[in-house]
Amino acid sequence: MHYFDYRDGELFVEDVSLNRLAAEVGVPAYVYSARTLRRHFTVFDQAFAGTDHLVCFAVKALSNLSVLRLFAAMGSGFDIVSRGELMRCLRAGADPRKIVFSGVGKTADEITAALKAGILMFNVESGPELYQIAEIARGLKMRAPVSLRVNPDLDPGTHPHISTGHRTSKFGVPLSQLAAYYTRARDLKELELVGLSTHIGSQITEPGPFREAGQKLAEAVRAILAQGVQLKYLDLGGGVGVPYQDESVELGDYAAAILGPLRGLNLTFIAEPGRVIAGNAGVLVTRVLYVKETDVKRFIVIDGAMNDLIRPALYDAYHAIWPVTKRPDAALALADVVGPVCESGDFFARDRMLPLPRPADLLAVMGAGAYGFVMSSNYNSRTRPPEVLVDGSHWHIVRERETFDDLIRGEKLVELKPNGQ
Ligand SMILES: *Cc1c(COP(=O)(O)O)cnc(C)c1O
C-alpha cells in the first residue's frame, strides 16, 4: 500500500504532481511519501498489538534526518549499525533508551559513544566483542546492557547477499554455543544481560522462515531462563519483504508466524523493520536521455544510474518503472533501462516490457525508498540526487542535490613535478 498514483494520466505523490516537483528540484531525485511512511509504521506496529513491544526502525534502510525525526515523533526506536547512525538518531531527536546497536564489527569508539549516549542495548555477535564491551564499560565505570545475537541456522530462501541466518554467515553466535556465551557474560559484572536477538535476512516474503526462527528462539529462551538468566527483551530483527513485483506480504501473517511459538514468554519484543516500512515509500525520478536501438536490443538510457540506486546491480533486484506522464499512444516495447555509468552492471531493468518513452520523458523507478539513497555513491564523479519528502500537498527538500564542491570536498590539489623529484 502506498500513495503514488495517477490522476488524469499524471503520476502524483500524495497530492503533489511529480512533473511539477521535477520541474522545481530537477532530476534525478529521490521522492518519499510521508503518508506512506506513517501508514507502514502504524500497520507494522499494530501487527504487534496486544504484546509488549518496541519497533526499532532499521536506520540503514533510509537514514535521512527528517525521516528519522518523523519516526521518532511516532514513538519509534531505532536499530543502528554504526556511530554515524547513532549520531543521526540523536540529531533527529531520538530517545537513546530506544536505540539498539547491531553489527558484527563495532569499534571501540562506537561502543564508547553508544554507552555514553545511554542506548537500550548492544546486540553482541561474538565472544571478543563481549569482552571488548565489558572492558570499555569498566573504563567508563558503567554497566553495558547486552543482548546476544543468535544465528538460528536457517535458510530464508532469499538472495544470498541478504540472507544472514545461515550457520555459514558471519552474523550472530551459533545456537550450540549460546549457553556458554550467557555463562561467560554472567561472569562479567560490567555487563547487564538483558536480551536475546536474531535477524535472519531481508526481503523475506513467506511466513515459514519467521515461524522457524520463532520456534528456535522459543527453545533458546527457555534454555537460557533455565540457566537462571533473567531476560527482558527478545529482538526479532527485521527482514519482512515488500512487494516489488507480484510478491504479497501480509504483516498479520508475519506477526502470527514469529509470535506464535513465543506466546507465554513474558518478554518485551523488539522488531527492527527497515525495508517493509520504507521500501515502497520512495521513488527515484529520472529523465530519458536517449532511446537506442542496436541489432539485437533496445536501450532506454536515463539520467539516473547505478551510483544513485545500486540494488539492480548488487542483487539483480526488480524495480517497477512507471512513466510520470502516461502516453496514451505509447506502444509496449521490450527494452533494457540503463544509466550512463561505464559498467554493464549499470541497469535498472533488463528485457522489460514497458510503454516506449521518448527522450525527455520522466520515469519513476518505484520501490526505491529503502536501500536506495543510503547506498548511493559518487562513482563516475556524479553528484548525488536530492531527497524530497512529500506530505499531503507540501513538499520539503530534506537533502540538497550535491554540487561539484561537495564532490571534491576534502581533496587536496598537490603539485608534483612531471619528471619526479
Ligand atoms: C538490515 C537489518 C535490519 C533491517 O532489515 P530489513 O530487511 O530492511 O527489514 C534489521 N536488523 C538488522 C540487525 C539488520 O542488519
Side-chain angles (χ1 to χ4, degrees), residues 154-166 169 171 199-202:
L154 53 83
D155 179 4
T158 57
H159 191 284
H161 290 182
I162 53 173
S163 160
T164 56
H166 190 258
S169 99
F171 297 100
H199 172 66
I200 59 175
S202 199

Side-chain angles (χ1 to χ4, degrees), residues 235-384:
D235 183 340
L236 308 169
V240 184
V242 294
Y244 285 113
Q245 196 166 0
D246 45 19
E247 307 91 333
S248 92
V249 180
E250 273 299 330
L251 284 175
D253 293 350
Y254 152 74
I258 198 155
L259 291 179
L262 302 169
R263 297 250 176 255
L265 296 173
N266 190 19
L267 297 170
T268 299
F269 296 108
I270 294 175
E272 303 169 345
R275 188 190 307 271
V276 71
I277 306 283
N280 285 335
V283 300
L284 175 64
V285 187
T286 69
R287 191 181 299 283
V288 176
L289 298 173
Y290 307 105
V291 179
K292 160 173 167 171
E293 317 261 351
T294 72
D295 291 343
V296 290
K297 266 194 175 276
R298 176 182 294 116
F299 294 97
I300 297 166
V301 185
I302 61 179
D303 64 1
M306 66 187 290
N307 75 294
D308 303 310
L309 179 68
I310 203 175
R311 297 190 65 256
L314 201 54
Y315 315 121
D316 231 341
Y318 181 98
H319 286 272
I321 297 176
W322 292 6
V324 169
T325 305
K326 282 187 182 168
R327 287 184 178 280
D329 56 335
L332 276 182
L334 196 64
D336 283 16
V337 180
V338 302
V341 162
C342 311
E343 300 268 351
S344 294
D346 182 22
F347 66 90
F348 289 88
R350 279 177 165 157
D351 296 323
R352 181 80 57 89
M353 279 301 270
L354 74 181
L356 192 61
R358 299 203 198 137
D361 280 4
L362 294 176
L363 296 178
V365 181
M366 307 302 292
Y371 307 107
F373 183 84
V374 289
M375 283 193 177
S376 63
S377 76
N378 294 118
Y379 187 41
N380 275 215
S381 284
R382 289 168 53 89
T383 52
R384 284 184 292 173

Side-chain angles (χ1 to χ4, degrees), residues 361-411:
D361 280 4
L362 294 176
L363 296 178
V365 181
M366 307 302 292
Y371 307 107
F373 183 84
V374 289
M375 283 193 177
S376 63
S377 76
N378 294 118
Y379 187 41
N380 275 215
S381 284
R382 289 168 53 89
T383 52
R384 284 184 292 173
E387 293 177 285
V388 181
L389 184 56
V390 170
D391 191 16
S393 56
H394 297 276
W395 52 271
H396 310 269
I397 296 176
V398 291
R399 191 180 203 273
E400 307 259 10
R401 183 184 304 286
E402 288 180 341
T403 63
F404 176 68
D405 282 339
D406 294 326
L407 210 55
I408 58 166
R409 194 158 74 91
E411 279 186 45

Side-chain angles (χ1 to χ4, degrees), residues 2-6 11-14 16-18 21 27-33 36-37 62 278-286 308-309 319-324 348 363-370 372-373 385-390:
H2 59 67
Y3 296 95
F4 295 83
D5 215 344
Y6 288 96
L11 188 55
F12 273 65
V13 188
E14 304 187 17
V16 172
S17 149
L18 269 181
L21 187 61
V27 288
Y30 274 96
V31 183
Y32 310 123
S33 153
T36 310
L37 291 167
L62 174 57
N280 285 335
V283 300
L284 175 64
V285 187
T286 69
D308 303 310
L309 179 68
H319 286 272
I321 297 176
W322 292 6
V324 169
F348 289 88
L363 296 178
V365 181
M366 307 302 292
F373 183 84
E387 293 177 285
V388 181
L389 184 56
V390 170

Side-chain angles (χ1 to χ4, degrees), residues 46-301:
Q46 281 169 358
F48 285 86
T51 57
D52 212 359
H53 70 280
L54 174 65
V55 176
C56 291
F57 176 67
V59 174
K60 74 176 191 284
L62 174 57
S63 59
N64 184 281
L65 291 175
S66 295
V67 171
L68 301 184
R69 160 125 6 187
L70 171 64
F71 288 137
M74 295 184 77
S76 184
F78 297 96
D79 171 49
I80 60 166
V81 293
S82 70
R83 182 174 187 173
E85 289 189 353
L86 173 67
M87 309 279 286
R88 280 182 178 278
C89 288
L90 298 178
R91 180 67 65 91
D95 177 356
R97 292 291 307 159
K98 292 183 179 173
I99 294 177
V100 298
F101 196 162
S102 303
V104 288
K106 304 174 194 76
T107 65
D109 272 355
E110 291 179 318
I111 294 166
T112 305
L115 269 174
K116 286 184 173 165
I119 65 164
L120 181 64
M121 66 185 190
F122 294 89
N123 287 335
V124 176
E125 303 222 11
S126 68
E129 184 191 339
L130 205 58
Y131 290 115
Q132 168 88 317
I133 293 174
E135 193 182 310
I136 293 171
R138 192 177 316 132
L140 293 171
K141 298 190 169 29
M142 294 176 78
R143 281 190 91 201
V146 296
S147 168
L148 284 167
R149 170 162 170 185
V150 68
N151 182 325
D153 187 20
L154 53 83
D155 179 4
T158 57
H159 191 284
H161 290 182
I162 53 173
S163 160
T164 56
H166 190 258
R167 66 176 180 283
T168 57
S169 99
K170 70 178 176 183
F171 297 100
V173 304
L175 264 175
S176 60
Q177 297 178 16
L178 204 54
Y181 268 92
Y182 276 100
T183 309
R184 261 197 276 178
R186 209 166 31 175
D187 293 338
L188 296 165
K189 62 178 187 314
E190 299 81 11
L191 300 183
E192 188 191 353
L193 277 175
V194 292
L196 177 69
S197 309
T198 197
H199 172 66
I200 59 175
S202 199
Q203 187 50 15
I204 301 166
T205 53
E206 297 289 325
F210 290 115
R211 188 171 306 113
E212 197 182 336
Q215 284 158 353
K216 292 193 168 184
L217 285 177
E219 245 175 78
V221 169
R222 293 206 171 89
I224 293 159
L225 295 177
Q227 270 184 285
V229 178
Q230 273 312 315
L231 296 181
K232 282 192 232 167
Y233 304 110
L234 187 57
D235 183 340
L236 308 169
V240 184
V242 294
Y244 285 113
Q245 196 166 0
D246 45 19
E247 307 91 333
S248 92
V249 180
E250 273 299 330
L251 284 175
D253 293 350
Y254 152 74
I258 198 155
L259 291 179
L262 302 169
R263 297 250 176 255
L265 296 173
N266 190 19
L267 297 170
T268 299
F269 296 108
I270 294 175
E272 303 169 345
R275 188 190 307 271
V276 71
I277 306 283
N280 285 335
V283 300
L284 175 64
V285 187
T286 69
R287 191 181 299 283
V288 176
L289 298 173
Y290 307 105
V291 179
K292 160 173 167 171
E293 317 261 351
T294 72
D295 291 343
V296 290
K297 266 194 175 276
R298 176 182 294 116
F299 294 97
I300 297 166
V301 185

